[in-house]
Amino acid sequence: MFQALKLKGHAGDRAFRAATVSALALLVLFFITIVASMLTYTHWSTFISALFSAEILFAIRLSIITASVATIIAVLIAVPAAYAISQYDFPGKSLVDSLLDLPIVISPIALGAALLVFFNTPVGAWIDDNVLKFTFTVVGIVLAQITVISALAIRLLKSTFDGIDPRYEQVGRTLGCSKPEAFLKVTLPLARNGVIAAGILTWARAVGEFGATITLVGATAMKTETLPIAIFLSLASADVEKAIAVVFILVIIAVAALFTIRKLTGRKYRL
Amino acid sequence: MIEIKNLSIKLGNFSLKDISLSINDHEYFVILGPTGAGKTVFMECLAGLHRINSGEIWLDGVNATSLAPEERSIGYVPQDYVLFPFLNVVDNIAFGLRQAGYSRADIEEKVKYLANLMGISHLLHRETHALSGGEKQRVALARALALSPHLLLLDEPISNLDLQTAKYLRLELRRFHRELGMTTIHITHNQREAEEMADRIGILNMGKLEQVGKPDEVFFYPESDIVSDFIGTPNILKCDSYQTLGQGLVEVDCSGLNIVLPHFGDCVERIAIFPRDIYVSQTKPPGPEVNRFKGTITGIRPSGAIVRLDVKVGENTLLAEIPNHIFEDMDLAIGKEVYLIFKLRRIRAYEGKKT
């Protein structure tokens, strides 16, 4: 079989091409199969009735609201943070830079567990009791989502700011802008597409967030039931129709998000 | 008046060393130097984009050393113009005016005036990415001039343009300068451009300011080998006598060589000719004897596509350049005799330092 690696000339080209394209085809076929299997599992009428059940409508609404709030907060923090890490030198910068990769790589359920533990410490418990109730509440969903997506937002925005020539800001300065004005009037407009793309990607990620959310706020139907939790609850109660309906909603949201980004930035941003 | 006192800065492994320079009001000052000499960094220091390690920068009597760029009243045109891509031409030009809080009517008037002056009125509502290099250049210039800065900084403003546009823009830049009168610092690596445009030239090399002077002074009195290398090591000859021949020609005696050159004026102190403008022949060329000299080769130095010849004529040693392929066809060696002919129109004359 290793003889194939030594094929010279066009035969080698063709064999290699066939091998790589087959790998691709295999993977695409796999995804088509699992999606199609869901289609065979459900009927249109039951799908529609599941989709418009009070529980699913609640989950859609809760997911969209929490993800939107989480995204707005995360992006508002991530824009200046990403700018700092992109443009400034400070002691421990590379350490901070690596630390920011952790929440992206680490399992969300671990982050959720860490949050839960934090709210069991005296300080955390005091905050939970006296400032804002996070554990097992909708506010907690937002916090769990922010925890998972903020690092991702910083990563995406950092690469946006890295790609902006600092001379734009310098010219802005010579035209009378203070540093903050130059940021707002020059850098931010230049970063506009990157910021929107980062917003959409982190929003989509927040909508899909499950691990941290369920650990911090539990899975209470009609209370902390986001779309992924709805899938979990439906499967747990063997209501496959409902689970499939939610899966399709998530697929539609994901496709819409990716489509918008592609329209906006011309294939530039990928996860 | 711009005064730079002992400016030093270190950036990574690059540095500017102890630069002192004064530039007069309304002067067109060109900084000439090879790539990597530190020209752009120097300009960025003036614009306030770097914190300098030591020295002072005074702009119009104000110590600007620690002022931020927005506090310096400087117009800056970076090398590739850096137009704001999210704004169209009008909004690019108006950017500084809006920032300074001018009224709508004032902004409109000023933009119109500048667009007229630059000849870009027809481009005002275009997007910047659709402009040609020369057009971008003008927009960047209009943007930098909108706030009527005391000092205009131009970083290689002409280098990236095609020859035709570049030629035209040299004249245009001088015209804008005449009309608006702002002190201008222009940096370039092109010696012709510097000579043509500058009131005075400063030669910068390896982070050091080698020489400052009027174009002719720098050309005829290079103060160091670096400068004379950079301006192309012309043959510079001192002239002892001077005689008008009529028809715009004069004859000078340069330590024994009688040289005829085109010149209008009263005297000639020095003449210069580039090595490439001296024709070398083994046999006595036919034709008039004007500017034809017999000499002995004392040195042969190949240098890339050309070969440099040192030729001793009387008590002068002249440097001539010939292309490699021609050198190979000739039978030249040290000690051989050759004839040199100066291209008459390429001889440059200097009347002496004006007081």
Side-chain angles (χ1 to χ4, degrees), chain A residues 165 167-179 181 185-187 189-190, chain B residues 47 49 68-70 74 76 78-80 82-86 95-96 99 143 147:
Chain A
D165 190 335
R167 291 187 311 156
Y168 284 108
E169 232 180 69
Q170 296 176 346
V171 169
R173 296 292 299 274
T174 65
L175 293 171
C177 289
S178 65
K179 179 74 185 176
E181 283 172 330
K185 293 185 178 176
V186 178
T187 306
L190 285 167
Chain B
L49 302 174
E70 65 268 25
I74 272 175
Y76 176 44
Q79 184 156 15
D80 28 22
V82 191
L83 296 176
F84 300 132
F86 50 90
F95 187 91
Q99 192 55 35
R143 179 179 66 178
L147 287 169

Side-chain angles (χ1 to χ4, degrees), chain B residues 156-207:
Chain B
E156 303 262 4
I158 298 172
S159 310
N160 293 335
L161 303 173
D162 61 275
L163 269 175
Q164 206 59 33
T165 316
K167 229 171 167 177
Y168 183 57
L169 251 170
R170 285 186 203 174
L171 298 173
E172 289 284 278
L173 277 175
R174 284 300 311 207
R175 181 169 73 85
F176 304 149
H177 179 252
R178 253 199 326 276
E179 219 142 310
L180 301 170
M182 65 284 166
T183 310
T184 303
I185 300 179
H186 168 143
I187 66 186
T188 181
H189 58 261
N190 184 327
Q191 186 218 331
R192 281 276 294 278
E193 185 180 312
E195 280 199 68
E196 224 166 278
M197 303 194 65
D199 292 328
R200 280 194 307 154
I201 294 177
I203 295 196
L204 191 69
N205 187 54
M206 306 274 287

